[in-house]
Amino acid sequence: MEILEPRDVPLGGPRAMTVRRTLPQRSRSLIGAWCFADHYGPDDVADTGGMDVAPHPHTGLQTVSWLFSGEIEHRDSLGSHAFVRPGELNLMTGGHGISHSEVSTPSTTVLHGVQLWVVLPEQHRHTAPDFQHHVPEPLHLDGAVLRVFLGTLAGSASPVRTFTPLLGAEVVLSPHATLTVPVDPAFEHGILVDEGRIRTAQTLLRRAELGYVPDGATSLTLTNESDTTARLLLLGGPPFGEEIVMWWNFVARSHDEIAQAREDWMQGDRFGEVRGYDGDPLPAPELPHVPLKPRGRAR
Ligand code: MN
């Protein structure tokens, strides 16, 4: 198994929150269609100021917000106004174009969660933007609690439609508990550790690390090696066959498409308008002077 180490990335904006990013990275751009993974907290909002991400655009992808603690207020250009809460899936489809803002609420004292992106396949990447909310029923097993927010695991299936086969689940393991679950051998998997130490096969994964399991596995065995409760996210999907260009908040297939999306955000109405956010939208950074290169799955 391959361990993808996190790197610290400041989110920018008016507050000083830092996230731990494990996808994409030089050695691996994708796990299934999962193309981006930020893990943050637990942060005392009194110290960090919490999250305040001004309106910004997305295209060619879906965003998955999943919290362990705290609350985030979401507003988007479709007019959606929603609260992201622990154990609740918020899935935003950028498709052709959407914009949104994310702000932790005043009642939040500890902010802790993940932000994940899923790349849309060629035939759906220009789809209409959308926002969905789903609360998975927790599945209680011996020593483990599963919340399957996308796909199917251990007989628990999410009703949320995806554009490629995907797995997204939160797994909580009691101290020293072991969980063995059958998985689809067509899927590659990512194990993102939130808390505790997780052993799978011969590999020990620590907090904020993302373990990569290639396709071909028919089951996964996860052991919590710590004396306290452990928590992880299990991500999966069949290897994504297309090469993508990812820059800022956009996923496309070429440099020119990215440049067009940037232009459309800076002047145009492709990404709509977020109402109710107190402040100005985020300006796009300058494009690099060298052409953005397509990337695909690691060979
Ligand atoms: Mn966003």
Side-chain angles (χ1 to χ4, degrees):
M1 195 170 71
E2 182 183 312
I3 301 178
L4 305 176
E5 301 283 349
R7 63 185 186 282
D8 288 346
V9 178
L11 270 196
R15 298 181 188 171
M17 195 176 143
T18 295
V19 300
R20 293 173 291 276
R21 189 163 296 165
T22 41
L23 271 186
Q25 49 183 283
R26 223 170 279 278
S27 64
R28 189 161 297 282
S29 305
L30 294 153
I31 297 178
W34 297 99
C35 64
F36 182 93
D38 272 358
H39 176 241
Y40 52 86
D43 286 334
D44 187 335
V45 168
D47 297 334
T48 65
M51 181 183 285
D52 185 352
V53 185
H56 60 279
H58 287 290
T59 186
L61 58 84
Q62 294 178 295
T63 65
V64 170
S65 303
W66 186 261
L67 285 183
F68 306 118
S69 164
E71 184 183 55
I72 294 170
E73 184 175 28
H74 162 98
R75 295 175 189 272
D76 67 39
S77 52
L78 298 173
S80 316
H81 181 211
F83 291 89
V84 183
R85 298 189 175 109
E88 303 184 359
L89 170 72
N90 286 273
L91 177 69
M92 187 181 77
T93 302
H96 178 64
I98 198 169
S99 54
H100 72 144
S101 62
E102 298 152 290
V103 180
S104 51
T105 61
S107 64
T108 298
T109 52
V110 174
L111 192 60
H112 187 185
V114 293
Q115 161 98 195
L116 309 165
W117 297 355
V118 173
V119 55
L120 295 174
E122 179 60 35
Q123 67 269 32
H124 295 297
R125 66 191 182 99
H126 306 292
T127 193
D130 187 35
F131 183 80
Q132 286 174 268
H133 176 88
H134 170 63
V135 183
E137 199 61 44
L139 174 66
H140 293 265
L141 302 172
D142 188 22
V145 182
L146 274 53
R147 286 179 172 81
V148 183
F149 49 84
L150 290 174
T152 301
L153 186 69
S156 180
S158 166
V160 177
R161 180 177 164 251
T162 59
F163 293 92
T164 54
L166 286 177
L167 173 62
E170 180 192 276
V171 177
V172 174
L173 289 171
S174 304
H176 301 285
T178 291
L179 172 73
T180 297
V181 276
V183 292
D184 189 333
F187 282 26
E188 48 187 5
H189 290 90
I191 299 161
L192 179 61
V193 178
D194 170 55
E195 285 176 337
R197 285 173 293 131
I198 303 293
R199 181 172 297 281
T200 178
Q202 262 54 262
T203 307
L204 188 64
L205 295 169
R206 294 176 174 80
R207 176 177 173 268
E209 291 179 342
L210 176 63
Y212 169 75
V213 182
D215 49 322
T218 54
S219 71
L220 291 177
T221 296
L222 306 163
T223 299
N224 175 9
E225 293 220 334
S226 38
D227 297 329
T228 52
T229 299
R231 182 163 48 200
L232 61 94
L233 288 188
L234 183 57
L235 308 175
F240 192 78
E242 301 169 38
E243 295 213 310
I244 60 170
V245 178
M246 225 174 121
W247 180 79
W248 197 41
N249 296 302
F250 305 134
V251 174
R253 297 297 185 274
S254 70
H255 178 97
D256 289 350
E257 282 185 0
I258 295 282
Q260 185 63 56
R262 183 188 183 281
E263 190 65 20
D264 291 344
W265 171 242
M266 295 305 278
Q267 45 192 344
D269 54 12
R270 172 175 169 184
F271 296 100
E273 191 188 334
V274 179
R275 294 179 192 278
Y277 176 81
D278 185 18
D280 293 328
L282 277 182
E286 290 297 325
L287 273 169
H289 293 291
V290 292
L292 297 160
K293 286 205 186 83
R295 304 191 63 182
R297 60 188 300 248
R299 273 167 267 274

